[in-house]
Amino acid sequence: MGVSTASPVAGVHVVTADYPPVNALPVQGWHDLADAVRAAGRDPAVRCVVLAAEGRGFNAGVDIKELQRDPGHSTLLGANRGCADAFAAVYECEVPVVAAVQGHCLGGGIGLVGNADAVVACDDAVFGLPELDRGALGAATHLARLVPQHLMRTLYYTSRTVTAQELHRHGSVWQVVPRAGLATAALELAAEIARKDGDLIRLAKAAINGIDPVDVRRAYRFEQGFTFEAALSGTAARVRDTFGKGEGP
């Protein structure tokens, strides 16, 4: 359990998260993931990183139960900082990052995938931000990188999900494959990228990030300010306490 790394193909480094049962990451897990991605990007032998996960789903966001165990705000602050750290590590990784997504990709998972350079998903993958059902806000910045603006708003307000096939039609998922073929498809794309000159691919990543119209780090931190405001007002706890009980806010 935790974050592991491997190098199954020349020039490609795989960073895998494994937090059963649903890959809802604790505070330390977000920082561990960030550290692994940054270390891979700094390795001169690496020209592409694959971000993957074990289990039935890619990522279920923050560990809500960890938040519920803390009567104060220290865990929420830790989760805010951990998510920001992990999302930034993916975006700022010195080489391209390919996300390999299976099952659910929710909350913080959208932050990771939205900041990746390419996405390969299996045909059972679903993507969404259930934040309003969990007493939180955030990652609209990253969902807006996957779907058009009005769809992003509707998904955000309703907490609905979209399928990998729908994102493929929008152009944000590169390829949709059966679950059994996910790892192979992601590695094939990463290996194709890794065949480029190592110095040039790093320059390309820096150049593409430099022309982005949105400063994703600043935009996400702005969103997180409202998450903390909801916590201070008591709104977050009131909504979060219904989590897993089949009740509305």
Side-chain angles (χ1 to χ4, degrees), residues 135-194:
L137 299 166
T141 294
H142 311 94
L143 185 58
R145 296 166 67 81
L146 298 172
V147 299
Q149 181 69 212
H150 282 80
L151 179 55
M152 178 275 288
R153 288 171 178 259
T154 303
L155 292 172
Y156 196 85
Y157 297 145
T158 62
S159 299
R160 292 194 185 196
T161 59
V162 291
T163 66
Q165 292 85 349
E166 288 174 291
L167 290 190
H168 183 262
R169 289 196 291 271
H170 287 297
S172 50
V173 165
W174 171 255
Q175 187 178 14
V176 180
V177 297
R179 181 177 282 242
L182 179 63
T184 298
L187 282 175
E188 286 177 348
L189 176 59
E192 182 177 351
I193 294 169

Side-chain angles (χ1 to χ4, degrees), residues 11-12 40-41 43-49 91-98 117 189-209:
V12 176
D43 186 341
V46 174
R47 295 185 293 281
C48 189
V49 171
Y91 183 79
E92 296 165 2
C93 184
E94 296 171 35
V95 298
V97 176
V98 175
D117 294 276
L189 176 59
E192 182 177 351
I193 294 169
R195 287 194 289 271
K196 305 299 183 185
D197 180 85
D199 293 332
L200 195 58
I201 200 70
R202 290 167 184 270
L203 289 173
K205 177 67 182 277
I208 290 175
N209 278 7

Side-chain angles (χ1 to χ4, degrees), residues 22-238:
V22 295
N23 279 323
L25 272 59
V27 170
Q28 188 59 49
W30 292 105
H31 290 296
D32 291 345
L33 186 63
D35 290 345
V37 171
R38 286 198 175 95
R42 288 192 297 264
D43 186 341
V46 174
R47 295 185 293 281
C48 189
V49 171
V50 173
L51 188 60
E54 293 288 348
R56 66 176 187 261
F58 176 77
N59 190 287
V62 169
D63 185 346
I64 299 296
K65 293 180 180 178
E66 184 181 36
L67 292 176
Q68 291 173 325
R69 289 192 295 268
D70 182 2
H73 300 302
S74 60
T75 303
L76 175 61
L77 286 170
N80 277 3
R81 291 167 182 157
C83 286
D85 190 25
F87 300 170
V90 172
Y91 183 79
E92 296 165 2
C93 184
E94 296 171 35
V95 298
V97 176
V98 175
V101 181
Q102 80 276 14
H104 53 265
C105 178
L106 305 172
I110 294 293
L112 297 172
V113 169
N115 270 359
D117 294 276
V119 184
V120 176
C122 64
D123 51 18
D124 67 356
V126 293
F127 302 75
L129 288 178
E131 312 306 276
L132 293 185
D133 291 341
R134 297 181 178 180
L137 299 166
T141 294
H142 311 94
L143 185 58
R145 296 166 67 81
L146 298 172
V147 299
Q149 181 69 212
H150 282 80
L151 179 55
M152 178 275 288
R153 288 171 178 259
T154 303
L155 292 172
Y156 196 85
Y157 297 145
T158 62
S159 299
R160 292 194 185 196
T161 59
V162 291
T163 66
Q165 292 85 349
E166 288 174 291
L167 290 190
H168 183 262
R169 289 196 291 271
H170 287 297
S172 50
V173 165
W174 171 255
Q175 187 178 14
V176 180
V177 297
R179 181 177 282 242
L182 179 63
T184 298
L187 282 175
E188 286 177 348
L189 176 59
E192 182 177 351
I193 294 169
R195 287 194 289 271
K196 305 299 183 185
D197 180 85
D199 293 332
L200 195 58
I201 200 70
R202 290 167 184 270
L203 289 173
K205 177 67 182 277
I208 290 175
N209 278 7
I211 63 172
D212 258 343
V214 175
D215 182 333
V216 294
R217 181 190 279 264
R218 185 175 65 181
Y220 178 59
R221 292 298 274 168
F222 178 81
E223 288 187 73
Q224 284 187 316
F226 289 95
T227 297
F228 197 62
E229 182 176 325
L232 290 178
S233 69
T235 301
R238 172 167 52 81

